[in-house]
Amino acid sequence: MASIEDIIGGLRAKISEEHVVRFNIIRRSVWDSTLRTMERPNFSPEKRLDIKFTDDDGLSEGAVDFGAPKREFFRSCLQELKDSSGMFEGPSNSKFLGCNLTATRTDAYYRAGQLMAMSIVHGGQTPCFLSEKLVQALIKGPQTVEVTVEDIADMDTQSALKELRESENEAQLMEAVRETEHLLSVSGCSKRITLSNKDDVSKDLAHWYVLQRTRTPFERFKEGLASLGVLEALQQHPQKMKTFFFKPTKKLSAVDLESLFKCRLSEKESNRFEWECRTLGFWRDYLQDAEFDMQAVTLEEILIFATGCETPPALGFSPEPSVEFLADSKFPTANTSDNVIRVPVKDTYEEFKNDMDFGIKNSSGFGMA
């Protein structure tokens, strides 16, 4: 059985080392900047990426195929797709496709699928915000997926179908049918609704609303996801590939980050070793606070600061993330191309935590405080 490394490695073989495509990204409008590049005649998802960010001061940063700009680009773009593109609806980490007329007209659903495929293959963040049921529809088709009324993102529609499903007498049923009259009409449901078939009708309407109403966006999104062979890999290896698309049940933990970031300590006999060990203890406590203190910097923010990614890429980070120590800096810094976070040496944990928080929360670009 093929390993995930073999699967993704095979997909990466499709990337051309000879051809490059430039993305000029404006931080305030990442998705619009991305669409302009993807709509040019010279664009291909199989080309290497040259990412150039333009910040609010008009300065550029980035380089061909360097990990940091590329990871930052995919993370920012996927976040904008999820939260503000209008193409997805539902809970933050369990999205279905929605109906957006502008996105349909401009074929943005196709580009969204392409972008997700590229992020997986080019080493960006995994697009793990889709609903498991949407992923199942991509694997085996919408007709194989059972949808419930609770899957409907629009609260008014969900409420109306719940009233229909939970009607206990003819009077309640007639009122519920009146409330859902428009939905019954546009879905093409012409059957007479009774107390005996109301549950089946509710399920049918929920399925239509979630997966059939959005069939045109779904097909274009699916075609975009076929880029670089990602859709085929998902369908051939569903157990290994599907978790790239929805949020894992196990949240990122302090232990995960402690294991992920290897510590670079000085020689044991050196003068630096003792205070580096003390700072290492502060670093581990800081990760614990990030996991359990709701007011603290989050583990995801620490990972973004150090690597440009909120979650690890499909095949992990290269090079391996590491922690270094700074005796001459008040705040932390990072080199996201090398996945290095450099933490300041302090005399007390309170001072360490305050300066770490300030540095991470006020950083911009690729982790330079």
Side-chain angles (χ1 to χ4, degrees):
M1 183 179 293
S3 67
I4 194 62
E5 289 78 13
D6 292 335
I7 296 168
I8 301 299
L11 300 180
R12 284 187 176 177
K14 300 175 184 290
I15 298 174
S16 169
E17 293 298 319
E18 299 178 1
H19 302 94
V20 178
V21 61
R22 161 72 69 85
F23 283 81
N24 295 305
I25 302 300
I26 301 171
R27 290 192 179 278
R28 291 184 177 181
S29 54
V30 176
W31 178 234
D32 285 345
S33 306
T34 300
L35 282 177
R36 285 197 293 274
T37 298
M38 297 177 83
E39 289 165 357
R40 292 194 186 107
N42 71 325
F43 168 75
S44 168
E46 298 182 355
K47 293 182 178 181
R48 282 196 303 148
L49 308 183
D50 175 7
I51 309 296
K52 291 287 184 182
F53 278 94
T54 301
D55 62 19
D56 293 340
D57 296 322
L59 302 176
S60 294
E61 49 190 339
V64 177
D65 224 276
F66 279 16
K70 184 167 61 178
R71 290 192 296 268
E72 172 72 8
F73 161 64
F74 281 122
R75 181 186 65 81
S76 300
C77 204
L78 288 170
Q79 183 175 343
E80 193 168 326
L81 277 178
K82 175 172 73 81
D83 294 335
S84 57
S85 70
M87 287 186 282
F88 297 90
E89 60 185 25
S92 177
N93 293 318
S94 184
K95 297 281 189 182
F96 283 99
L97 290 169
C99 282
N100 183 295
L101 292 179
T102 301
T104 300
R105 176 174 54 79
T106 59
D107 210 17
Y109 288 99
Y110 176 76
R111 297 303 185 186
Q114 273 194 321
L115 192 281
M116 289 188 184
M118 290 170 61
S119 189
I120 290 171
V121 179
H122 282 267
Q125 182 169 301
T126 54
C128 51
F129 61 83
L130 301 184
S131 162
E132 288 191 51
K133 293 182 180 181
L134 176 56
V135 176
Q136 184 64 26
L138 291 166
I139 296 170
K140 292 189 175 181
Q143 70 280 0
T144 68
V145 180
E146 182 176 340
V147 175
T148 68
V149 172
E150 286 72 20
D151 290 320
I152 296 174
D154 182 78
M155 290 295 103
D156 290 337
T157 302
Q158 184 185 125
S159 177
L161 286 183
K162 282 183 177 179
E163 288 182 14
L164 179 65
R165 182 185 63 188
E166 295 165 8
S167 298
E168 296 180 350
N169 54 54
E170 288 293 340
Q172 290 179 353
L173 181 65
M174 290 177 63
E175 178 62 26
V177 169
R178 279 194 293 270
E179 290 292 325
T180 57
E181 185 176 9
H182 177 69
L183 186 60
L184 290 165
S185 175
V186 296
S187 66
C189 179
S190 58
K191 68 173 65 176
R192 179 175 178 272
I193 304 174
T194 67
L195 289 171
S196 60
N197 71 5
K198 62 184 176 64
D199 288 348
D200 290 337
V201 171
S202 299
K203 286 182 181 179
D204 289 344
L205 289 173
H207 191 278
W208 175 84
Y209 189 90
V210 173
L211 293 177
Q212 299 302 332
R213 177 182 64 102
T214 59
R215 195 59 184 264
T216 297
F218 174 84
E219 293 299 333
R220 289 304 288 158
F221 177 72
K222 184 178 176 181
E223 289 172 23
L225 199 60
S227 301
L228 294 163
V230 169
L231 177 64
E232 183 180 2
L234 173 64
Q235 293 172 337
Q236 290 183 351
H237 309 280
Q239 294 306 314
K240 287 186 168 62
M241 290 289 294
K242 67 182 182 180
T243 53
F244 291 164
F245 296 94
F246 54 80
K247 203 72 171 178
T249 49
K250 182 181 181 296
K251 293 183 63 177
L252 194 65
S253 71
V255 173
D256 292 334
L257 256 63
E258 187 177 326
S259 300
L260 181 65
F261 285 89
K262 304 305 177 185
C263 187
R264 298 178 181 175
L265 292 168
S266 300
E267 294 293 331
K268 286 187 177 181
E269 304 302 325
S270 69
N271 293 330
R272 297 168 56 94
F273 183 75
E274 182 177 346
W275 52 256
E276 286 179 353
C277 285
R278 181 184 62 207
T279 305
L280 176 59
F282 291 166
W283 162 252
R284 290 170 175 168
D285 283 340
Y286 189 70
L287 296 180
Q288 291 289 318
D289 283 347
E291 180 176 0
F292 298 109
D293 184 353
M294 299 299 293
Q295 305 302 317
V297 165
T298 67
L299 293 170
E300 288 78 11
E301 287 172 329
I302 296 170
L303 191 59
I304 290 169
F305 180 81
T307 69
C309 271
E310 182 180 353
T311 59
L315 294 186
F317 292 102
S318 179
E320 183 179 54
S322 61
V323 181
E324 295 180 357
F325 303 94
L326 293 172
D328 55 355
S329 176
K330 181 175 178 59
F331 303 111
T333 64
N335 182 337
T336 49
S337 293
D338 293 330
N339 302 317
V340 176
I341 184 170
R342 300 182 178 93
V343 300
V345 175
K346 303 292 180 180
D347 292 327
T348 67
Y349 177 68
E350 182 179 5
E351 185 181 6
F352 177 86
K353 184 179 187 303
N354 289 338
D355 289 344
M356 287 288 292
D357 285 351
F358 183 89
I360 292 174
K361 289 180 177 180
N362 290 279
S363 67
S364 61
F366 305 118
M368 295 306 296

